Amino acid sequence: MEMDGRSSSSAVIEADSVSLQQSRRSKFIHQFTQQSLPACKPVLSPPFVISVFFVVGLIFIPIGIVALHASRSVVEIVYRYDGECVPEPYRSNKLAYIKDDSISKNCSKSLKIPKHMKAPIYIYYQLDNYYQNHRRYVKSRNDKQLLHGLKYHDASSCHPEDANHGHPIVPCGLIAWSLFNDTYSFSRGVVDLKVNRKNIAWKSDREHKFGKQVYPVNFQNGTLIGGANLDPNIPLSDQEDLIVWMRTSALPTFRKLYGRIEEDLDADDVISVNLFNNYNTYSFSGSKKLVLSTSTWLGGHNDFLGIAYISIGTSLIFIAFVFLLLHVNNPRPYGDTSNLSWNWKPISS
Amino acid sequence: IVLRGCELRNTKSAIGVAVYTGKETKAMLNNSEIIYLSIFLVTLCTVVCISHGVWLIKHKDELDLIQFYRKKDYSGSEVENYEYYGWGMEIFFVFLMSVIVFQVMIPISLYISMELVRVGQAYFMIQDDRMFDEATNSRFQCRALNINEDLGQIKYVFSDKTGTLTENKMEFQCASIGGVDYDNGKASSEDGGIEYSSAQVDGVTLRPKMSVKVDIELLNLSKTKDTDEGKHIRDFFLALATCNTIVPLTIESSDPAVKLIEYQGESPDEQALVYAAASYGFMLIERTSGHIVVDIQGERQRFNVLGMHEFDSDRKRMSVILGFPDNTVKLYVKGADTSMFNVLNNSSNTNNNIIKPTQAHLHSYSSKGLRTLVIAARELTLSEFQHWQSSYESANNALMGRSNLLRKIAVNIENNLGLLGASGIEDKLQEGVPEAIESLRMAGIKVWVLTGDKQETAVSIGYSSKLLTNEMTRIVINNNSKDSCKRSLEDALGVCKKVKNGVSGAVNSQLALIIDGSSLVYVLDTELEEQLFELASKCDVVLCCRVAPLQKAGIVALIKKRTDDMTLAIGDGANDVSMIQRADVGIGISGQEGRQAVMASDFAMGQFRFLVPLLLVHGHWNYQRMSYMILYNFYRNAVFVLILFWYVLFTGFTLTTAITDWSSMLYSIIYTSLPTIVVGILDKDLSRATLLKHPQLYGAGQRNESYNGKLFWVTIFDTLWQSIAVFFVPLVAYWASNVDGSSLGDLWTIAVVVLVNLHLAMDLFRWYWITHAAIWGSIIATFVCVMVIDALPFLPGYCKIFVQYYRPNDIQIAREAEKFEDSRVSRQVQIEMTRFRDPLTQLV
């Protein structure tokens, strides 16, 4: 008896909940098919818009100030050396200078540190007018070969740097072939500054894109040398300069990380840069720069962000004021049906 | 052309011809924007390839060895050019490549999403309970999917009358007999009639198929045989039962003891009258050419039909001469009031007593929209009858001009009549028709009624459906020759001008044009068409009566040829098919007159009044949604293409895309399509109640307010500026930094997707949870997709996932946040500006 009673009552409850669910669902379907689902209908009213403008403007200006401050606190030294490092007699024909292997490409320069630079100090090289995003260039690589080495024979995308005298090249393609080969070393007084050149490439690239078992083969053996050579005994995953270079830049003016100085540099320190100006940018009037920069939470030195935030913020507040004036001087009653066009037409005519 | 739904039978082979193809397809007829976009696309491609050419020529000497170009191939034994075919070919290749890269501009996906949206809209129209016809248990039907949005732009409605405005069910409503008004609206009951409205024949009960509401008072009076009044009434009903051309048919019913009588005849009015007479106990049972059998309140009587003068449009009456069982001969005449009062006997006193009140009743009937007929009778003396009979026979036997002779005889005999009374027949309007027409007219839609009925009927229906009102100036054109047509058209135009200039009275006086089929014969397809169009476009209402089916189509064509306005034709019968096909939108009423109209139509519905929700609500929504969706699609594709284009400017014009190919492909499929479709189906700018309250809001569609050239260019301009903002802000921020192509590309991808979805979100009128899900879902889906695309090793691109963890890319996060904010804000600025401009222009 008890069992029966319980089971029947539970059945009743079940049926109830089912019918409730069904009725809810049918109500939903009805609302849906009759297009009368509950909805929120925001109307942009002048007070709402004006206050949104004010608030957004007021948020933007402090963000901009903080960003600008951060950007300004970055100490950045940019040294363009592509012109200076060419010896005087070759200034008129730089191309001859860079092509002539017999001339020493060594070049030194003293740089004065304007402000205290906190470690780590990033060393970049910057190239201008260098279309690393050129379609012809971007396509000239073989990702599978980079990861798996010679197991992949098809390197046609790398042509004309796919093979040399019938032997395949690893890494193939124009990008690898044109690897940047200027080198920098720094010293403060007589003490060399240690440059850490590890961990300059993305970890993911090193681990997943470049093979640990892949060694350079037949690289830079052709008639035409495009750039740096690679040590055939080091696997590609450890050739960080190559990995950095192979991550082609988005824009024709770009920087690439060269290494880090892990010591603080004090204001008015003089450091001497000793560089080998090997890379040929003279054939296309590109420039080369050496950049030393500290970093903040916002990255490098770039005032644009802060200025953009501040200017947008101020213009928002200005526009909000204009709207406010317009609204106060010439208010339009909101939702007044007598303003509907057909209601006032007869009067005007 | 074989209509959809037709079946071909008994044929072995069929030859098909494709029609409405090529330039005549809907897509081509509607494609000026596509052409603009193509021009835009070609311009982009040309800019790219010319710049590329310039770049090549400028760097001519450097190309051989430059690291990122390397024209020379040293790998072989000889130095040769690698993939370089002269600058001319290079430019050509770049052009072709740019076409491929920028092809997103031509919104092929638009057509797909438009189709989906239309299916959704059709679904909602079909599901709408307010367009559900309970009488026939039928829902709204969408038979064409590609013209939903046209419903929002209708300017002319061409309506059939019978079966469309009216139910095509004539119903005897009231009678004025002997100067007394028996309006059965007062005390009606069906029960009273039933016992008499059946007759026994050979043990089988006969019953009319339809019973009419009966006025008990009148019924009781009709049973009294002694009083004058009773006689009068009996005479009246006898006239109704006999003076017609109806043929009674007995049909089996479910009950074998009961047979139904169905009255068949040309005129539904006569049917209604005979049914009415039957309900009052004067049941027509049998008709042959020689005699009529009428069951008069259970008592069978047989009358000889001595002669009959059929209805013709000059006399506007018909008459029958009956020989009674008691050898008296009586003439019964039935006709339109205008023709009948001239032939009544004015001399007798009783007659005069009747005429006045009858006329008053007739006036009140017709102002109620009832169709009136006057019935009169005269007892013929023997000499009169013989005289008539001889001339009738000779006329019948005449070889030449028989109908004229007969008419003359009829005119001779049909005089000095004693008035019996008048009947009011209701041509029952469908439910809600007057209100519907009122709303349509307020919405600025011109309603034209095209009917095969005669002018009087059409006009009376015009009044009862509030199409015509008493304040209107009526222009009537009835002509039988071209010249007179021309003259009356010119006159009408003159009247028109006068009225519009306010010379003849009220400022708001409206014009109604009434034109008949015989005049239209001379107007359509001649140079007079132009004048008619001019006239008709000035008139608020146009009534065309006595028009042939083909003329209906001709009238529709008259409008379609001369304006771009959308036309809608609505009808229910086979005679409306040509009109329905000719109009932009054809609507079939699934009524009694067969299925042809529905077969030929784009939409089918049960009642005329559904036109109001269909046009004012669904039409408005569909139009507004569809036009917004098209503009938005242009916008969203153009923003994307422009970003690709701006980037090309920074790659030596070589069509490198920072945005991965996968993202380009998925952009219009996953990243942005769903919100568009949801908005296209669900968004409502105004609620149903508002739209129905202010039918004038429909004008937005008629004036092309949501989709026109100006808006198109504004959108394109908007696109330009937004794409510049989205592209150049990160560009400047990342200039001379170590960002790589795919990172920046992903940033752009996400920025664009967030931008266009937010743009959509800001233009939305109504937020349903579905909308929320679609918009935010799309953005999230984009993030996921971008990550997956970059993470999968076989897809081009790099592991973007790590971007955020790697140090210099803190900028990226900040940049993303910043850029979304600023593009959104810029959007707000624009909206606000337009919002403030509105009241100002209104005040001016």
Side-chain angles (χ1 to χ4, degrees), chain A residues 32 34-35 40 49 122 133 135-136 141 159 161 177 209 247 250 280 283 298 302 305 309 316 332, chain B residues 62 67 69 82 124 127 129 625 647 655-656 684 733 740 767 797-798 807 811 815 818 825 839:
Chain A
F32 179 72
Q34 300 310 311
Q35 306 191 50
C40 152
V49 170
Y122 294 92
N133 55 13
R135 188 179 179 84
R136 205 175 156 105
R141 64 187 290 155
H159 202 78
E161 281 299 326
W177 169 77
K209 298 265 176 180
R247 185 160 273 276
N280 178 4
S283 60
L298 197 59
N302 194 333
L305 251 183
Y309 266 110
L316 280 181
R332 178 167 73 90
Chain B
E62 306 160 2
Q67 285 96 330
Y69 199 91
Y82 167 68
F124 281 122
Q127 291 297 325
D129 283 348
R625 291 165 179 170
Y647 186 63
L655 299 163
T656 319
K684 301 196 281 190
D740 61 293
W767 284 91
Y798 303 84
R807 182 205 45 85
I811 299 170
R815 275 282 354 114
E818 193 263 357
V825 164

Side-chain angles (χ1 to χ4, degrees), chain A residues 48-68:
Chain A
F48 173 72
V49 170
I50 291 169
S51 44
V52 164
F53 271 41
F54 264 117
V55 169
V56 174
L58 287 177
I59 295 171
F60 270 28
I61 291 177
I63 292 178
I65 291 170
V66 170
L68 196 61

Side-chain angles (χ1 to χ4, degrees), chain B residues 464-677:
Chain B
S464 62
S465 62
K466 294 208 181 135
L467 194 62
L468 297 170
T469 56
N470 287 325
E471 294 98 63
M472 284 183 170
T473 314
R474 277 159 67 178
I475 299 172
V476 182
I477 297 177
N478 293 328
N479 298 102
N480 283 319
S481 73
K482 201 170 166 178
D483 291 336
S484 58
C485 254
K486 197 174 173 188
R487 237 176 295 125
S488 49
L489 275 174
E490 276 159 9
D491 289 352
L493 277 172
V495 173
C496 209
K497 242 176 236 158
K498 260 193 220 160
V499 171
K500 288 285 158 186
N501 292 342
V503 177
S504 64
V507 186
N508 280 333
S509 75
Q510 291 174 310
L511 283 169
L513 174 69
I514 296 157
I515 188 162
D516 68 355
S518 51
S519 321
L520 283 173
V521 171
Y522 301 104
V523 174
L524 291 179
D525 293 323
T526 65
E527 67 278 5
L528 291 178
E529 263 193 358
E530 197 61 51
Q531 278 179 313
L532 177 66
F533 172 71
E534 200 183 326
L535 179 63
S537 55
K538 280 183 184 142
C539 294
D540 303 279
V541 175
V542 179
L543 255 177
C544 303
C545 22
R546 287 238 165 262
V547 288
L550 271 178
Q551 281 179 325
K552 291 186 178 182
I555 293 164
V556 176
L558 174 86
I559 299 298
K560 265 188 80 177
K561 255 188 260 165
R562 285 172 179 77
T563 63
D564 294 331
D565 299 336
M566 286 288 170
T567 53
L568 179 147
I570 179 167
D572 72 323
N575 58 345
D576 306 315
V577 168
S578 61
M579 164 171 95
I580 286 173
Q581 284 179 314
R582 184 60 67 88
D584 294 304
V585 180
I587 294 186
I589 299 272
S590 39
Q592 291 138 3
E593 285 193 35
R595 302 268 307 156
Q596 285 103 319
V598 174
M599 288 295 180
S601 67
D602 302 312
F603 302 100
M605 54 192 190
Q607 302 255 329
F608 180 80
R609 74 191 144 97
F610 297 155
L611 206 54
V612 175
L614 177 66
L615 295 185
L616 298 191
V617 179
H618 287 287
H620 181 93
W621 285 342
N622 290 348
Y623 170 72
Q624 188 268 332
R625 291 165 179 170
M626 191 58 86
S627 44
Y628 178 72
M629 206 192 80
I630 294 172
L631 282 178
Y632 173 76
N633 262 286
F634 287 152
Y635 154 81
R636 124 192 141 179
N637 288 336
V639 166
F640 191 76
V641 167
L642 281 170
I643 284 173
L644 292 177
F645 174 74
W646 302 132
Y647 186 63
V648 165
L649 300 186
F650 292 91
T651 64
F653 316 103
T654 52
L655 299 163
T656 319
T657 48
I659 296 169
T660 57
D661 299 343
W662 280 90
S663 283
S664 316
M665 214 158 74
L666 295 179
Y667 177 71
S668 49
I669 300 171
I670 293 179
Y671 298 175
T672 56
S673 65
L674 201 61
T676 330
I677 293 170

Side-chain angles (χ1 to χ4, degrees), chain B residues 379-444:
Chain B
E379 206 159 323
L380 298 181
T381 59
L382 201 62
S383 63
E384 252 181 323
F385 172 65
Q386 279 164 352
H387 177 71
W388 169 82
Q389 200 172 26
S390 61
S391 51
Y392 182 71
E393 267 161 22
S394 65
N396 249 342
N397 295 332
L399 293 173
M400 306 271 286
R402 200 176 71 171
S403 58
N404 270 340
L405 282 174
L406 280 175
R407 191 180 304 153
K408 228 175 256 168
I409 295 160
V411 171
N412 282 337
I413 192 97
E414 288 164 355
N415 57 25
N416 270 332
L417 300 172
L419 180 62
L420 287 175
S423 65
I425 300 167
E426 189 180 18
D427 186 359
K428 246 183 140 182
L429 281 180
Q430 285 187 7
E431 211 185 324
V433 166
E435 293 82 0
I437 288 185
E438 180 88 18
S439 298
L440 291 181
R441 284 191 33 210
M442 269 170 78

Side-chain angles (χ1 to χ4, degrees), chain A residues 28 30 32-44 46 49 52-53 56 60 99 122 124 126 129-138 141 143 156-157 159-163 165 174 177-178 199-202 204-205 208-209 223-224 226 246-257 260 279-281 283-285 295-300 302 304-305 308-309 312 316 319 323 326-327 330 332 334 337 339-340 342 344, chain B residues 52 55 59 62 65-75 82-84 90 97 123-125 127-130 618 621 625 647 650-652 654-657 681-682 684 688 694 696-697 703 728-729 731-744 748 764-770 790 797-800 802-803 806-811 814-815 817-819 821-822 825 828-829 831-833 835-836 839-840 842-843:
Chain A
F28 169 74
H30 183 260
F32 179 72
T33 56
Q34 300 310 311
Q35 306 191 50
S36 55
L37 282 175
C40 152
K41 318 171 234 183
V43 171
L44 295 174
V49 170
V52 164
F53 271 41
V56 174
F60 270 28
K99 279 182 174 172
Y122 294 92
Y124 298 97
Q126 176 175 340
N129 213 5
Y130 191 106
Y131 286 91
Q132 245 203 336
N133 55 13
H134 197 287
R135 188 179 179 84
R136 205 175 156 105
Y137 187 77
V138 170
R141 64 187 290 155
D143 286 330
S156 56
S157 65
H159 202 78
E161 281 299 326
D162 57 340
H165 303 301
L174 283 183
W177 169 77
S178 61
N199 290 333
I200 55 173
W202 289 17
S204 61
D205 282 0
H208 304 293
K209 298 265 176 180
T223 333
L224 202 63
M246 293 290 280
R247 185 160 273 276
T248 53
S249 75
L251 302 166
T253 295
F254 62 91
R255 289 175 184 181
K256 297 239 175 243
L257 192 58
R260 281 185 291 267
Y279 201 68
N280 178 4
T281 54
S283 60
F284 56 93
S285 58
S295 143
T296 63
W297 59 270
L298 197 59
N302 194 333
F304 174 77
L305 251 183
Y309 266 110
I312 288 171
L316 280 181
I319 291 167
F323 281 170
L326 272 177
H327 180 59
N330 196 359
R332 178 167 73 90
Y334 229 69
T337 48
N339 268 354
L340 290 170
W342 56 88
W344 51 261
Chain B
H52 183 68
W55 189 86
H59 296 261
E62 306 160 2
L65 295 177
I66 195 170
Q67 285 96 330
F68 51 82
Y69 199 91
R70 251 295 291 276
K71 198 171 86 184
K72 296 282 186 240
D73 181 2
Y74 290 88
S75 61
Y82 167 68
E83 278 194 1
Y84 184 83
E90 287 295 302
M97 273 198 288
Y123 172 77
F124 281 122
M125 287 196 280
Q127 291 297 325
D128 193 341
D129 283 348
R130 290 165 192 83
H618 287 287
W621 285 342
R625 291 165 179 170
Y647 186 63
F650 292 91
T651 64
T654 52
L655 299 163
T656 319
T657 48
I681 295 174
L682 284 181
K684 301 196 281 190
R688 181 190 291 270
H694 301 292
Q696 292 94 331
L697 289 169
R703 293 187 295 270
F728 283 95
V729 169
L731 181 94
V732 176
Y734 277 115
W735 192 258
S737 75
N738 58 348
V739 70
D740 61 293
S742 55
S743 302
L744 200 54
W748 274 320
L764 261 185
F765 293 106
R766 250 155 237 253
W767 284 91
Y768 302 99
W769 63 264
I770 303 173
D790 289 342
Y798 303 84
C799 292
K800 162 82 169 29
F802 297 96
V803 169
Y806 198 62
R807 182 205 45 85
N809 293 291
D810 284 346
I811 299 170
R815 275 282 354 114
E818 193 263 357
K819 183 161 30 45
E821 283 301 309
D822 93 27
V825 164
Q828 269 180 352
V829 176
I831 288 176
E832 245 349 79
M833 304 251 249
R835 197 161 282 281
F836 271 83
L840 293 180
Q842 283 182 5
L843 290 172

Side-chain angles (χ1 to χ4, degrees), chain B residues 10-139:
Chain B
N10 301 327
T11 178
K12 275 186 183 161
S13 61
I15 297 175
V17 178
V19 291
Y20 303 126
T21 56
K23 277 191 170 177
E24 289 171 3
T25 52
K26 191 90 181 163
M28 281 305 286
L29 291 173
N30 225 336
N31 65 350
S32 61
E33 283 74 25
I34 300 291
I35 290 172
Y36 287 138
L37 288 181
S38 311
I39 294 171
F40 193 63
L41 174 69
V42 171
T43 317
L44 288 188
C45 296
T46 318
V47 168
V48 169
C49 70
I50 288 176
S51 323
H52 183 68
V54 170
W55 189 86
L56 278 183
I57 292 168
K58 231 171 103 187
H59 296 261
K60 191 168 66 201
D61 305 328
E62 306 160 2
L63 291 179
D64 291 357
L65 295 177
I66 195 170
Q67 285 96 330
F68 51 82
Y69 199 91
R70 251 295 291 276
K71 198 171 86 184
K72 296 282 186 240
D73 181 2
Y74 290 88
S75 61
S77 49
E78 280 174 47
V79 176
E80 54 195 21
N81 282 351
Y82 167 68
E83 278 194 1
Y84 184 83
Y85 310 96
W87 60 270
M89 284 307 275
E90 287 295 302
I91 288 175
F92 181 64
F93 288 146
V94 164
F95 185 83
L96 292 186
M97 273 198 288
S98 61
V99 171
I100 293 169
V101 170
F102 297 148
Q103 48 137 357
V104 191
M105 191 78 201
I106 304 295
I108 296 169
S109 64
L110 172 63
Y111 286 104
I112 298 162
S113 33
M114 267 163 80
E115 286 311 309
L116 286 173
V117 165
R118 281 179 178 136
V119 170
Q121 291 176 343
Y123 172 77
F124 281 122
M125 287 196 280
I126 292 166
Q127 291 297 325
D128 193 341
D129 283 348
R130 290 165 192 83
M131 295 202 289
F132 179 79
D133 187 14
E134 279 167 359
T136 53
N137 203 20
S138 59
R139 288 204 170 276

